[in-house]
Amino acid sequence: MIDKTRANVAEAVQEVFDGATLMIGGFGEAGSPIELIHALIDHGASDLTVISNNCGSGEVGLAALLKAGRVSKMICSFPRTANSTVFPDLYRSGRTTLELVPQGTLAERIRAGGAGIAAFYTPTAAGTPLAEGKETRRFHDREYLLEYGLTADFTLIKAKLADTRGNLIYNKTARNFAPIMAMAGKLTIVQAAEIVAPGKIDPETIITPEIFVDRVTHVPNPAHESELVAAGATYP
Amino acid sequence: MTAAEKHIGWSREEMAARVAQDIPDGSYVNLGIGIPELVARFVPEGRELIYHTENGLLNMGPSPKPGEGDPELINAGKRQVTAKPGASYFHQSDSFAMIRGGHLDLCVLGALQVSQAGDLANWSLGGPDDIPAVGGAMDLVAGVKSIFVITQHCTKDGAPKLVESCTYPLTGVRVVNRVYTDLAVIAVTPGGFQLVDLAPGVDFETVQERTGARLLPIRETTSNA
C-alpha cells in the first residue's frame, strides 16, 4: 500500500540538494513549516532559491535559514518585518538577492507552474516600477504584463491533518500558499499535526489531493513563530 | 503651521467614519493595514459589510478576546482576527482571483501620494537602501472595482499628498476613485480632483492651498465618481 510517511522531519527533507529551488508555505507565521525548515538547516543544503511570501521573523524558521547563509535568492512579495533584520542585512550586503513579486502575481505564477501553464498576462503592476523589462500587451484597451509560471524542486508546507497517502486539510488562514505550492513542487514535503489512515478523511473535505504530495511527516505540536520570537528563541 | 491650524479638520476616527458612510450595504470590502482598518468600527447601524483579507479569509471578524486567538487565524497585517458566521478560508490563488477578477466592490488604502489622474503611490519611498516590499497592494488597485484612499491631506512636513503627478514609485495607474483626508472628500474625475465634501470649519481655499494640483469646486448635485 502506498505510504508517503517518513519517520521524522530529518528523513523528510534528506533529498534536498545544494542549489535547489524551494517553495515554502506560509503567510507570516500562519502555515510556516518551522520544523521542516529547522530540519533543513540541520541537513545543510545551501545556495538555495526560496519562493515564499515573506522572509520570516526573529531568528527562527525561514529567518534562521536565511541567517545561516543558505539562501542565495528570495522570490517574495513582502520581505520586511517589524521584528527582524536578518533579510535586510543580507540584502544590503548583497549576500541574498531579491525578486520582488506582487502577492497575487506570485500566487498565480505558482498556480500556473503547478498547472502546466507557461505564462499568463496580468494587469497587476502595469505602469509601475515592477513592470520594468517585462513584455506587455494590450487587451480590451488595458495594459497587461506577461508573467511566467514558477515551479520548484521541493515544496515545504504545513497541514493540520493528512492521511498516509498525502491527502491534506489545513488550519484556517494557514492554508494560504500551501495548496498551490503543493502543485508546483516536484517533490512536496508536508509536516502534519495529525496523520490518519486513508479513508478517515471525508473526501468532500480534502483540500489538497494526494497526487500533489510526496512526503508526509508527523509534527504533533508545531511551534508558533510569534511565540518563539517572543521567547527570544534562535535556531540552531 | 500654527497650533490653531493643526486642529482644523477631521480626526482619524472621523475620517474613517466619513469613509464608512459612503460604503453601500452588502459590499465586499478589503481594508488596508493601518487607518483603513478603522473604517470597520464606524459602519452605520443596519448596514452589513463583508470583509475580505487577502491572506485567505472572507467574512473576517474583529480581533479575538485575549487568550482566544489562533496564531493561524490572522489578517493581511499579520494580526490575529476572528471568523464570523458564514466565513470561508481559501488559498492565495483563489483570494487574488477575487481581487483581480473584480469580485470585490471596494478597497480602502493608505497613500503616500495620489495624482489628479488617480495614480497611486503607496508601497515604496524609492530610497536606494529601502527594502522593497509590495504585498497585495498592486493586485488590489488593479482589480477591485472602487479604490478609496484614506490619508492625511499633507505629509508631516506640510507637503501636499494630492499632486499633479506622483514622484514616488507607483502602485497603480489611474486607479483611485476617491480620497478621504482630514480636510475634505475629493473625487478623482476625468477633469481632475473634484471637491465632494468639506470637514467642518474648512473652506475650499484652504483645501486648494494644501493640494498640489487644481481642485474643482463642489458641484450642485455631486454624483458618485
Side-chain angles (χ1 to χ4, degrees):
Chain A
M1 196 166 72
I2 291 170
D3 183 356
K4 297 175 184 170
T5 60
R6 292 294 179 271
N8 51 51
V9 287
E11 279 189 31
V13 302
Q14 68 182 0
E15 289 139 297
V16 178
F17 50 82
D18 288 355
T21 296
L22 275 86
M23 290 183 180
I24 300 182
F27 176 93
E29 68 174 318
S32 184
I34 293 178
E35 285 76 9
L36 285 177
I37 298 170
H38 288 173
L40 186 62
I41 294 172
D42 297 343
H43 168 64
S46 64
D47 190 25
L48 303 172
T49 293
V50 171
I51 302 164
S52 193
N53 191 63
N54 307 104
C55 287
S57 60
E59 293 186 15
V60 295
L62 182 50
L65 184 69
L66 282 156
K67 176 106 180 168
R70 307 293 174 72
V71 182
S72 52
K73 181 179 181 184
M74 278 299 311
I75 301 176
C76 75
S77 90
F78 206 90
R80 278 201 306 257
T81 54
N83 57 12
S84 185
T85 62
V86 170
F87 180 78
D89 293 346
L90 290 166
Y91 177 76
R92 291 193 178 109
S93 67
R95 281 175 290 166
T96 302
T97 60
L98 170 68
E99 180 179 343
L100 189 74
V101 184
Q103 195 174 332
T105 299
L106 181 65
E108 196 59 18
R109 289 180 65 187
I110 295 166
R111 195 203 70 84
I117 305 292
F120 57 92
Y121 285 99
T122 178
T124 299
T128 77
L130 296 189
E132 278 166 23
K134 290 188 174 155
E135 196 176 320
T136 62
R137 186 167 162 182
R138 294 190 81 80
F139 297 91
H140 313 298
D141 209 32
R142 190 172 183 195
E143 187 171 272
Y144 289 73
L145 305 182
L146 183 68
E147 292 284 358
Y148 294 91
L150 284 169
T151 55
D153 298 304
F154 301 92
T155 284
L156 271 50
I157 54 174
K158 176 163 77 169
K160 178 172 78 173
L161 176 64
D163 68 22
T164 54
R165 305 178 68 105
N167 291 300
L168 307 178
I169 289 177
Y170 306 96
N171 180 39
K172 306 186 176 78
T173 56
R175 185 183 307 184
N176 58 66
F177 284 89
I180 51 176
M181 286 181 168
M183 292 166 59
K186 287 192 196 86
L187 192 98
T188 291
I189 304 163
V190 179
Q191 65 169 74
E194 187 183 356
I195 300 178
V196 295
K200 294 293 183 191
I201 306 176
D202 177 356
E204 294 281 10
T205 66
I206 290 168
I207 305 298
T208 293
E210 63 162 273
I211 193 167
F212 299 125
V213 173
D214 302 284
R215 307 276 182 268
V216 182
T217 192
H218 191 209
V219 177
N221 294 297
H224 293 301
E225 194 174 280
S226 58
E227 290 166 10
L228 293 177
V229 172
T234 58
Y235 197 88
Chain B
M1 195 182 281
T2 68
E5 277 174 322
K6 270 186 184 169
H7 293 289
I8 68 165
W10 284 308
S11 67
R12 283 159 48 109
E13 286 73 18
E14 287 165 335
M15 287 160 63
R18 186 62 191 79
V19 173
Q21 199 182 309
D22 287 355
I23 307 178
D25 186 32
S27 295
Y28 290 89
V29 177
N30 183 297
L31 301 177
I33 299 157
I35 301 185
E37 288 177 274
L38 280 178
V39 172
R41 283 166 40 188
F42 297 98
V43 175
E45 193 76 22
R47 235 184 263 185
E48 186 193 5
L49 307 186
I50 302 97
Y51 298 106
H52 170 270
T53 182
E54 61 265 32
N55 55 311
L57 166 62
L58 198 57
N59 260 307
M60 174 176 63
S63 305
K65 292 181 187 131
E68 290 181 13
D70 182 332
E72 296 199 314
L73 178 45
I74 60 175
N75 66 9
K78 304 187 178 77
R79 289 220 307 270
Q80 290 185 15
V81 293
T82 50
K84 288 181 180 172
S88 52
Y89 302 112
F90 33 83
H91 64 62
Q92 288 292 282
S93 185
D94 280 353
S95 186
F96 283 85
M98 293 176 196
I99 291 170
R100 216 187 299 98
H103 305 281
L104 288 175
D105 296 305
L106 182 80
C107 178
V108 184
L109 290 168
L112 294 167
Q113 289 174 325
V114 179
S115 84
Q116 59 186 357
D119 297 350
L120 174 68
N122 82 342
W123 68 283
S124 166
L125 293 166
D129 235 21
D130 290 345
I131 304 297
V134 65
M138 290 187 180
D139 305 283
L140 285 161
V141 300
V144 178
K145 285 179 202 156
S146 286
I147 303 295
F148 285 6
V149 162
I150 183 167
T151 178
Q152 297 299 314
H153 204 86
C154 296
T155 67
K156 286 193 180 80
D157 302 330
K161 294 179 117 187
L162 283 74
V163 294
E164 285 186 354
S165 61
C166 297
T167 53
Y168 290 125
L170 292 186
T171 309
V173 178
R174 295 177 188 273
V175 293
V176 176
N177 299 94
R178 278 191 175 212
V179 186
Y180 293 77
T181 78
D182 50 328
L183 301 181
V185 180
I186 293 168
V188 178
T189 71
F193 290 129
Q194 171 133 36
L195 194 58
V196 172
D197 195 8
L198 287 165
V202 176
D203 59 20
F204 176 87
E205 288 69 28
T206 304
V207 182
Q208 175 64 81
E209 195 178 289
R210 298 180 191 192
T211 301
R214 194 164 72 97
L215 186 65
L216 302 169
I218 295 180
R219 271 193 301 220
E220 230 13 69
T221 50
T222 306
S223 60
N224 283 333

